[in-house]
């Protein structure tokens, strides 16, 4: 596209959004979560519930639908040409075929127009319907962990990183890289040396992820470079704290790379996708963390704390929405609740609340509404009961992701508070992964509590 045409398109889109914001008819919803938390599945299911035939969608707690005021939603056909579109149709097709969508490798966006009848007042008498534009952005969870790096300098990042690498589930894995750095000539800042060490560090991050099930991995672009693959911006690794005291060529170079990474990668990512969010969903996969053990659960908590510090929370008067949008509602959601029997959902919500206790106490959250719940974007199991020697116990039936076979199991209990290291010594959690149920192309994905999530996130905007 020619320069001026692109500029014109950008301008008209921006002014349209500005106008919509002025009328309070535009909402930007952020779906936040670490890699594998369930963002892509959540967005796909949410969009299908909002755009599917109103008579078939099962959302009893979503008041516009219950009150028969929801007229339906459609995907906006016209999206800015330069904006990658969220592959909703492809993801939906995968899920209906009984497969999970692949892990996200780049960002994308989807805009919906939701049409509804106003509930009461003058608007209800004067207009047949109103519309709300909803923008949703998807991105790889790995990139989210770059946000806390904005609050650090290179030295602080190195110290933070090596504290993390000293944790019991990581220390043995990090040893070889630590030895390599200790033997490195700090006055050699040649291209060969920097790239060699970056490659080794990037392999270390993969190892942390696969072997230690670690989730706090930085910089995120080393794991998933997107369009930055091969650029010098990604030549970044943490020197040992003992190597920071004295200036050296390598230290100076890495300091520069760190600052460039902050300015050219993290800041634009933050500004483009997060700085203007109105509402936010924070998806947390507590069950995988429980499966992985005490230290991973602790790390998940630390990662969530760091991420949440990066967002602005506060009231959303119309003036503020226009000039300094802030997140006015946050939904904390424990995802994949369908991996549990229903009587465990309460414990899962309590565990999530415990995990988030510190960030939730933070004064910034007192200015916005928040809620915690356990939900499933795509229900993969059927709930049943089996007779055992101890009486009737609840169980789940579903297609195991491991064997591809139908399985009937009791997946186990969820602790209602942060479990101690001792508990993990005596008990191994093993919540199983299931595959989605195979559905016909028009069928709506079965979900759990998406109606309550929608009511909290959108109910007041569709009044
Ligand atoms: N049982 C169950 N599993 C789910 C659900 N949502 C996601 N999963 C599982 O979690 C995996 C990751 O889900 P995604 O939606 O790809 O997660 P993501 O947050 O987009 O991950 P990245 O793209 O890597 O950042 C899926 O492949 C499923 O195995 C759900 O509602 N129920
Ligand atoms: Mg994804």
């Amino acid at each position: 596209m020619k320069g001026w045409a692109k500029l014109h398109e950008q301008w008209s889109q921006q002014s349209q959004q500005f106008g919509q914001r002025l009328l309070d008819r535009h909402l930007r919803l952020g779906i936040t979560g670490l890699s594998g938390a369930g963002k892509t599945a959540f967005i796909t299911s949410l969009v299908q519930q909002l755009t599917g035939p109103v008579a078939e969608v099962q959302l009893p707690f979503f008041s516009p639908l219950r009150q028969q005021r929801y007229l339906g939603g459609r995907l906006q056909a016209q999206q800015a040409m330069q904006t990658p579109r969220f592959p909703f149709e492809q993801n939906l097709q995968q899920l209906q075929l009984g497969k999970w969508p692949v892990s996200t490798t780049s960002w994308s966006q989807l805009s919906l127009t939701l049409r509804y009848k106003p509930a009461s007042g003058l608007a209800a008498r004067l207009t047949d319907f109103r519309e709300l534009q909803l923008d949703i952005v998807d991105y790889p969870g790995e990139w989210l962990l770059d946000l806390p790096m904005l609050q650090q300098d290179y030295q602080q990042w190195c110290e933070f990183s090596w504290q993390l690498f000293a944790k019991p589930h990581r220390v043995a894995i990090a040893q070889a890289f630590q030895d390599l750095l200790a033997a490195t000539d700090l006055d050699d800042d040649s291209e060969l040396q920097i790239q060699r060490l970056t490659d080794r560090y990037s392999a270390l991050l993969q190892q942390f992820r696969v072997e230690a099930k670690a989730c706090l991995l930085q910089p995120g672009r080393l794991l998933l470079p997107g369009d930055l693959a091969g650029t010098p911006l990604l030549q970044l690794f943490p020197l040992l704290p003992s190597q920071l005291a004295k200036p050296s060529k390598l230290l100076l170079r890495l300091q520069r790379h760190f600052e460039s990474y902050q300015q050219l990668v993290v800041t634009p990512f933050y500004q483009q996708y997060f700085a203007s969010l109105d509402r936010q969903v924070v998806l947390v996969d507590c069950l995988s963390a429980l499966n992985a053990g005490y230290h991973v659960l602790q790390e998940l908590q630390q990662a969530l704390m760091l991420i949440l510090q990066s967002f602005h929370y506060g009231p959303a008067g119309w003036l503020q929405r226009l000039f300094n949008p802030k997140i006015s509602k946050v939904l904390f959601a424990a995802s994949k609740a369908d991996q549990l029997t229903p009587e465990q959902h309460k414990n899962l919500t309590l565990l999530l609340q415990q995990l988030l206790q510190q960030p939730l106490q933070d004064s910034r959250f007192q200015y916005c509404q928040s809620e915690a719940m356990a939900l499933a974007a795509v229900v993969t199991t059927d709930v049943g009961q089996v007779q055992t020697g101890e009486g009737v116990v609840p169980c789940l039936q579903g297609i195991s992701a491991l064997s591809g076979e139908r399985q009937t199991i009791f997946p186990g209990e969820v602790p209602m508070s942060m479990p101690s290291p001792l508990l993990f010594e005596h008990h191994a959690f093993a919540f199983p992964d299931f595959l989605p149920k195979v559905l016909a192309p028009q069928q709506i994905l079965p979900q759990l509590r998406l109606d309550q999530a929608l009511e909290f996130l959108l109910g007041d905007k569709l009044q």
Side-chain angles (χ1 to χ4, degrees):
M1 194 185 298
K2 288 213 175 85
W4 67 266
K6 195 169 166 178
L7 211 68
H8 177 74
E9 188 187 324
Q10 268 175 1
W11 184 83
S12 63
Q13 212 204 2
Q14 273 167 12
S15 58
Q16 215 178 3
Q17 283 189 0
F18 187 81
Q20 298 272 36
R21 264 188 190 285
L22 190 67
L23 293 170
D24 206 11
R25 308 259 43 91
H26 183 257
L27 201 76
R28 205 167 154 80
L29 177 65
I31 313 296
T32 309
L34 298 175
S35 179
K39 299 180 293 297
T40 302
F42 182 89
I43 296 173
T44 307
S45 183
L46 193 88
V47 170
Q48 197 204 16
Q49 314 292 329
L50 287 172
T51 56
V54 173
E56 283 167 39
V57 173
Q58 299 289 320
L59 301 169
F61 279 99
F62 185 41
S63 59
L65 217 121
R66 190 181 61 243
Q67 296 162 357
Q68 299 181 342
R69 296 187 294 102
Y70 188 64
L71 303 175
R74 63 186 154 79
L75 302 176
Q76 270 188 10
Q78 283 184 341
Q79 180 165 312
M81 295 293 256
Q82 71 273 29
T83 308
R85 185 176 184 278
F86 177 77
F88 166 67
E89 293 79 0
Q90 291 87 331
N91 290 339
L92 182 61
Q93 192 180 46
Q94 283 291 102
L95 288 167
Q96 288 169 330
L97 289 172
K99 300 176 197 161
W100 292 108
V102 289
S103 179
T104 310
T105 54
S106 191
W107 79 278
S108 61
Q109 181 173 319
L110 204 63
S111 295
L112 310 179
T113 305
L114 311 182
R115 190 173 277 193
Y116 64 99
K117 285 188 203 154
S120 58
L122 197 61
R125 269 177 276 141
L126 294 182
T127 49
D128 288 341
F129 64 83
R130 272 189 169 173
E131 289 185 338
L132 178 76
Q133 187 187 320
L134 182 68
D135 290 343
I136 308 178
V137 178
D138 193 25
Y139 58 88
E142 283 84 351
W143 297 357
L144 196 62
L145 280 163
D146 283 344
L147 298 186
M149 289 171 74
L150 283 178
Q151 283 151 19
Q152 294 169 320
D153 61 23
Y154 178 69
Q155 267 87 346
Q156 287 167 330
W157 180 63
C158 293
E159 275 154 20
F160 171 79
S161 299
W162 283 101
Q163 270 170 23
L164 208 61
F165 302 169
K167 295 271 162 75
H169 61 307
R170 298 210 196 207
V171 67
I173 301 173
Q175 189 61 52
F177 186 63
Q178 187 175 349
D179 294 343
L180 179 70
L181 283 183
T184 294
D185 172 8
L186 297 182
D187 278 321
D188 176 3
D189 69 342
S190 65
E191 187 57 32
L192 221 53
Q193 162 101 309
I194 290 205
Q195 193 54 49
R196 185 174 66 99
L197 291 169
T198 300
D199 290 343
R200 287 290 294 268
Y201 180 61
S202 145
L204 176 67
L205 289 180
Q206 288 288 3
Q207 242 183 314
F208 279 147
R209 176 150 77 174
V210 176
E211 291 171 29
K213 307 272 182 270
C215 60
L216 219 172
L217 304 165
Q218 295 172 321
R221 296 278 181 157
L222 264 193
L223 284 165
L224 260 184
D227 52 359
L228 297 179
T231 60
L233 278 172
L234 298 191
Q235 292 176 324
L236 194 55
F237 53 88
L239 284 175
L240 297 170
S242 58
Q243 296 173 319
L244 305 172
K246 219 166 69 222
S248 64
K249 279 189 183 170
L250 197 56
L251 174 59
L252 284 176
R253 181 91 182 264
L254 287 167
Q255 263 169 340
R256 272 209 313 277
H257 286 201
F258 185 83
E259 283 159 21
S260 307
Y261 190 82
Q262 284 177 318
Q263 282 163 21
L264 303 174
V265 182
V266 194
T267 304
F269 174 62
Y270 177 68
Q271 282 169 344
Q272 234 173 333
Y273 314 127
F274 296 113
S276 60
L277 293 183
D278 301 297
R279 308 248 155 131
Q280 190 181 20
V281 181
V282 181
L283 288 172
V284 186
D285 180 3
C286 301
L287 301 179
S288 299
L290 281 171
N291 284 351
Y294 177 74
H295 295 291
V296 172
L297 195 62
Q298 292 271 312
E299 192 172 310
L300 173 66
Q301 184 175 35
Q302 190 181 7
L304 288 169
M305 289 261 303
L306 290 171
I307 292 162
L308 292 173
Q309 279 165 6
S310 309
F311 294 95
H312 295 289
Y313 299 91
W318 73 270
L319 255 179
Q320 253 163 329
R321 276 179 53 84
L322 203 54
F323 298 111
N324 180 19
K326 281 205 187 112
I327 295 169
S328 55
K329 282 189 167 191
V330 187
L331 174 70
F332 295 103
S335 56
K336 314 181 192 179
D338 60 310
Q339 292 179 327
L340 298 172
T341 45
E343 83 292 347
Q344 297 298 318
H345 292 172
K346 190 158 175 244
N347 281 9
L348 182 60
T349 309
L350 289 171
L351 177 67
L352 175 70
Q353 279 170 332
Q354 274 252 320
L355 213 59
L356 294 163
Q357 206 173 24
Q358 277 164 300
L360 284 175
Q361 272 173 356
D362 192 316
S363 60
R364 290 170 311 142
F365 284 97
Q366 288 168 10
Y367 294 109
C368 83
Q369 281 185 52
S370 67
E371 201 163 301
M373 64 175 74
L375 53 73
V378 182
V379 170
T380 57
T381 53
D382 294 309
V383 181
Q385 288 184 329
V386 285
Q387 182 75 43
T388 67
E390 289 157 32
V392 176
V393 292
C395 67
L396 291 181
Q397 262 202 352
I399 307 288
S400 157
L402 215 62
S403 65
E405 306 281 322
R406 179 160 281 276
Q407 206 181 26
T408 304
I409 52 156
F410 175 65
E413 291 180 9
V414 177
M416 64 171 85
S417 58
M418 278 299 276
S420 67
L422 202 68
L423 182 79
F424 284 94
E425 278 174 29
H426 297 290
H427 178 75
F429 293 96
F431 299 106
D433 288 331
F434 294 102
L435 293 176
K437 296 175 185 178
V438 177
L439 302 175
Q442 308 78 17
Q443 263 181 294
I444 308 283
L445 296 168
Q447 46 72 29
L448 188 71
R449 296 200 191 91
L450 276 199
D451 53 345
Q452 293 180 31
L454 279 169
E455 178 62 18
F456 175 74
L457 294 166
L458 301 180
D460 60 322
K461 287 285 159 193
L462 301 177
Q463 280 301 310

